[in-house]
Amino acid sequence: MDDESAPKCASGTSLISFRPRRRHSAGFAATELVASISLLLLPGLLLVVSLPRWSDRRSAAVSAARAVVRAEAVLWPTTSDEAARQAVAAVAAEHGMPISQLHATVRSSNARGGQIEAIVSVVMPRVWIPFVGGVGAWTTTVIAGGRIDDYRSR
């Protein structure tokens, strides 16, 4: 079928065209590059930068909870908030965190063979941006327990 015998529309142009129409796509590559960087690369990069902070904070909370349980087990049958604070301060200093980021509470039973339970909450940055710091925060809680010796004297 040649161009002359092809069906035509009201304006006289052929309905069947073998020449592809060219769209003006200049500038779309730059737009796509900016969109892909801002929507895909940057959030992924921020997640990669934030994950080690979350892991480090969680590790500090576990260490603090265990240290508080050990400190309270030594002082049993009395519990001391000061001993818990000192244990948390030592762990915070080891991990290079401000002490205000860790908070510990202790529950213990008064019986031999009972449990001592330390509950430590740590503040975690929602997103860590290099050269800026943490943006937003959330807390996570770690619980550690220990048994009071059955034959421990009061």
Side-chain angles (χ1 to χ4, degrees):
M1 184 181 275
D2 59 346
D3 253 358
E4 293 175 12
S5 63
K8 299 188 189 276
C9 65
S11 65
T13 59
S14 173
L15 291 176
I16 300 174
S17 175
F18 295 104
R19 285 179 268 156
R21 293 184 183 179
R22 295 191 182 245
R23 294 185 181 176
H24 299 289
S25 61
F28 280 124
T31 305
E32 289 172 359
L33 179 66
V34 170
S36 66
I37 287 175
S38 63
L39 297 176
L40 297 174
L41 186 64
L42 287 180
L45 180 65
L46 290 176
L47 183 64
V48 166
V49 172
S50 297
L51 282 175
R53 294 275 176 186
W54 295 342
S55 177
D56 187 42
R57 293 286 177 106
R58 172 94 176 156
S59 174
V62 169
S63 296
R66 289 178 181 164
V68 168
V69 167
R70 282 192 300 270
E72 292 295 328
V74 169
L75 295 175
W76 185 83
T78 62
T79 59
S80 168
D81 287 340
E82 185 58 34
R85 268 191 238 106
Q86 288 176 353
V88 167
V91 170
E94 286 175 10
H95 286 270
M97 298 172 48
I99 189 143
S100 63
Q101 303 285 309
L102 287 168
H103 180 264
T105 55
V106 180
R107 291 188 287 196
S108 66
S109 67
N110 273 342
R112 293 182 184 116
Q115 287 282 76
I116 296 176
E117 195 172 70
I119 303 163
V120 176
S121 297
V122 63
V123 177
M124 295 207 182
R126 186 164 291 152
V127 176
W128 184 262
I129 300 174
F131 308 113
V132 174
V135 176
W138 53 282
T139 59
T140 188
T141 303
V142 175
I143 300 173
R147 185 176 169 88
I148 299 170
D149 189 12
D150 289 333
Y151 302 103
R152 170 122 188 205
S153 63
R154 292 186 181 236

